[in-house]
Amino acid sequence: MSSVVLAVVVGVSSPAAAAEAPTVKATSAYVVDSAGTIHLGKRETRRVPVASLVKVMTAYVVLREAHLSDTITITATDVKYAARGGAATAGLKKGERLTVRDLLYGLMLPSGADAANALARHYGPGKTAFVAKMNSTARALGLTDTRYTNADGMPTPANGGYSTAVDQARLAQQALASSTFRTVVGKETYKVAKTSLHRAHTWRNSNKLLARADGVLGVKTGYTNAAGYCLLFAGERGGRQVVGVLLNDANERRFSTAERLLDHAEEQITGG
């Protein structure tokens, strides 16, 4: 089984020339690098829904417990769950048998709630137990302003989940310590060839930042009415890993803003 463990220093120094940072219209935002320098903070500790950014924790928990070659059979419940909630799906069908590796791509690229349901059901076992693992992992990582209610980030009628920009950045830093996670979230397109066990699938990454700038590592997009358009992003800049979070932004603007924030961080890091 794989284990994802990394001690990361987050936010140990003062914001770097915050007044010169690009204008950010997202409700909450945060940018920090691997040396602990904060390049931007805006309502970064405000508790808000984070939509499909929740799937980063889903992937993180799965990677700590699963073998990538494990095979999971898709059920009618997995398919119906995503369809009933109007969530993004990976287009999975009842009876398909896919590996955990494939399902992680289905989870993170097209943001499949069907893949999330299948993984949570299998590795709880059961969704309630899996969500408990998500929350215990959040506590172990020091994400004190984060609470999960499901594995996909879709709104729940009561007792909704929440997180903060700071907590999401911390989680991303931990998750990116896994080479498997980095490979998955950095892929623009992933194809699953048809076999006797499953249909063919082609999944495209919803993170447009990957095609907009060099050195981008991922990480995840998200959207619900309550959360607005969200983006958790990371890139290599000036010899450091820069992680940023934009919560409740506009659809296309989140990508252009993230690109400018990565450039700003690089200028601060290199002094140029």
Side-chain angles (χ1 to χ4, degrees):
M1 293 188 183
S2 56
S3 178
V4 183
V5 180
L6 178 67
V8 182
V9 178
V10 180
V12 298
S13 61
S14 299
E20 300 175 11
T23 300
V24 173
K25 295 186 178 180
T27 299
S28 299
Y30 187 66
V31 180
V32 65
D33 67 36
S34 52
T37 302
I38 302 168
H39 297 277
L40 180 87
K42 177 183 179 183
R43 297 175 183 165
E44 66 271 24
T45 60
R46 181 180 180 185
R47 292 179 174 182
V48 294
V50 296
S52 285
L53 303 194
V54 163
K55 296 185 177 85
V56 174
M57 179 60 87
T58 301
Y60 183 81
V61 172
V62 168
L63 282 168
R64 296 178 72 194
E65 299 199 2
H67 293 288
L68 295 176
S69 59
D70 290 352
T71 301
I72 297 176
T73 301
I74 305 304
T75 67
T77 301
D78 300 327
V79 177
K80 291 177 182 177
Y81 171 80
R84 183 174 63 248
T89 79
L92 304 179
K93 299 296 183 182
K94 175 187 174 182
E96 288 192 272
R97 296 177 61 196
L98 293 113
T99 64
V100 165
R101 183 189 301 276
D102 288 340
L103 286 173
L104 285 171
Y105 281 99
L107 174 77
M108 300 303 286
L109 272 62
S111 202
D114 43 4
N117 200 79
L119 289 165
R121 174 177 51 77
H122 190 84
Y123 288 104
K127 291 192 292 182
T128 299
F130 189 84
V131 172
K133 289 181 179 181
M134 294 172 73
N135 284 313
S136 64
T137 302
R139 290 192 296 272
L141 294 177
L143 310 184
T144 56
D145 291 307
T146 296
R147 178 178 181 271
Y148 296 104
T149 57
N150 56 37
D152 53 82
M154 289 296 288
T156 51
N159 300 318
Y162 54 80
S163 187
T164 67
V166 168
D167 277 6
Q168 288 301 296
R170 286 174 173 158
L171 174 59
Q173 287 179 313
Q174 295 286 344
L176 287 164
S178 162
S179 60
T180 299
F181 182 86
R182 290 197 307 274
T183 298
V184 170
V185 299
K187 198 85 167 176
E188 291 189 60
T189 304
Y190 183 77
K191 294 184 178 182
V192 181
K194 181 180 178 180
T195 73
S196 60
L197 300 179
H198 54 72
R199 303 160 60 239
H201 294 279
T202 298
W203 294 316
R204 293 178 175 81
N205 203 320
S206 57
N207 185 0
K208 297 180 181 179
L209 188 61
L210 287 164
R212 293 185 64 125
D214 294 332
V216 174
L217 303 175
V219 178
K220 189 73 189 72
T221 63
Y223 172 77
T224 62
N225 287 334
Y229 288 96
C230 302
L231 179 64
L232 175 56
F233 61 95
E236 297 289 348
R237 292 292 186 273
R240 301 181 191 178
Q241 184 185 93
V242 178
V243 173
V245 187
L246 296 168
L247 303 177
N248 191 21
D249 204 349
N251 187 5
E252 295 299 323
R253 187 176 64 206
R254 58 184 162 163
F255 301 113
S256 58
T257 299
E259 186 176 7
R260 290 195 300 272
L261 287 169
L262 286 173
D263 290 343
H264 171 71
E266 183 172 24
E267 290 172 0
Q268 301 303 302
I269 292 167
T270 63

